[in-house]
Amino acid sequence: MTAQLTGKVALITGAARGIGRAAAELFAHEGAHVFATDVKQPDEPFLDGNISFSIMDVASEADWQRVVQSIKTKHGGVDILVNNAAIGGSQLPLADENVEDWNRVIATNLTSVFLGMREVLPGMRLKRSGSIVNVSSIWGISAVAGAAAYHATKAAVRHLTKHAAVTYAPENVRVNSIHPGIIATPMVLEDQAEETSARVVAATPLGRMGKPIELAKGMLFLASDESSFMTGAELVIDGGYLAQ
């Protein structure tokens, strides 16, 4: 069977660990040359020669321009963009949030998606081909108490995806969002309060956290030609959380 991404060039943000790393490794296995980026070095180096890693701040316009131009010089451009990088922020409710933390979450989770799409779209439109996968969340669709900034950014990513999808569909550029439930990533296991994670797992019909590879496979589907008639869609991978 032919690998699903043979000859494609993919840029994946937030790829040092968790879902982003799983996606980088899976995409490379499926034949893509993957440019993996993050704000810090991965704990374990990538072993696949088809993965190139570089430091990148997704909230920086200059970093986006530098990385995309480098890929264009080396490989002609980006065929697949996965806007995966995000932070949880303070997890505070709206009345308790401060402007500094709010702006940090907005910049990392939302402005980064705008910047990434803006940088890769010219090349995709010129080639009349491209797939963009924006990572939102179940909390971009439904809400819980707290996490005001996170909720706001993930809901905005959901709708910004639809805007880009309908705007650039005539040029055969597809843009879809993916909505993870609770996934066993370092951000959840190390940074999120245990009681918060326990509540979400308890509310998940399948009764467990998802695995990063389970999200990566959904990203692969949206990135590949297997989903060639999908744009502006929401792929929910949440163990049944939103079905209730």
Side-chain angles (χ1 to χ4, degrees):
M1 180 179 294
T2 304
Q4 294 185 53
L5 302 180
T6 298
K8 300 293 186 181
V9 177
L11 171 56
I12 303 175
T13 66
R17 60 182 192 167
I19 298 168
R21 185 182 182 106
E25 293 172 339
L26 179 60
F27 282 27
H29 177 74
E30 290 293 329
H33 190 104
V34 178
F35 287 85
T37 74
D38 210 308
V39 290
K40 65 177 184 178
Q41 292 285 343
D43 294 334
E44 298 288 338
F46 289 103
L47 301 178
D48 194 313
N50 282 331
I51 302 176
S52 302
F53 180 82
S54 61
I55 295 291
M56 177 186 181
D57 177 1
V58 292
S60 166
E61 181 179 24
D63 273 16
W64 272 108
Q65 292 170 342
R66 170 181 57 81
V67 169
V68 173
Q69 182 57 48
S70 174
I71 296 171
K72 182 178 179 181
T73 299
K74 294 174 182 176
H75 293 277
V78 176
D79 300 303
I80 298 162
L81 171 64
V82 179
N83 277 311
N84 170 69
I87 58 175
S90 69
Q91 302 287 302
L92 292 173
L94 188 151
D96 300 322
E97 186 62 275
N98 64 71
V99 172
E100 182 180 0
D101 283 345
W102 171 269
N103 287 339
R104 184 167 63 94
V105 177
I106 295 293
T108 305
N109 294 6
L110 177 57
T111 303
S112 65
V113 175
F114 154 69
L115 290 172
M117 290 198 293
R118 193 185 66 175
E119 289 305 311
V120 303
L121 275 167
M124 290 181 173
R125 296 172 69 191
L126 187 63
K127 292 189 292 185
R128 300 187 65 82
S129 176
S131 179
I132 297 172
V133 182
N134 293 327
V135 181
S136 178
S137 169
I138 53 172
W139 288 353
I141 298 175
S142 67
V144 294
Y150 188 82
H151 276 101
T153 57
K154 290 305 185 178
V157 167
R158 178 192 185 198
H159 212 72
L160 185 60
T161 297
K162 295 181 185 300
H163 159 78
V166 299
T167 302
Y168 301 107
E171 293 162 294
N172 199 37
V173 177
R174 299 186 301 108
V175 191
N176 294 288
S177 59
I178 191 165
H179 298 258
I182 189 164
I183 309 299
T185 65
M187 190 169 82
V188 170
L189 299 176
E190 299 171 10
D191 302 337
Q192 184 165 277
E194 290 185 11
E195 57 269 26
T196 300
S197 297
R199 285 197 301 270
V200 180
V201 170
T204 300
L206 285 182
R208 64 172 176 86
M209 293 187 188
K211 302 171 185 177
I213 189 62
E214 292 175 309
L215 263 293
K217 288 180 178 178
M219 293 173 173
L220 173 63
F221 172 67
L222 292 177
S224 75
D225 290 340
E226 296 296 312
S227 60
S228 57
F229 196 53
M230 289 179 66
T231 196
E234 302 167 13
L235 179 58
V236 175
I237 303 178
D238 70 346
Y241 183 96
L242 291 180
Q244 304 170 93

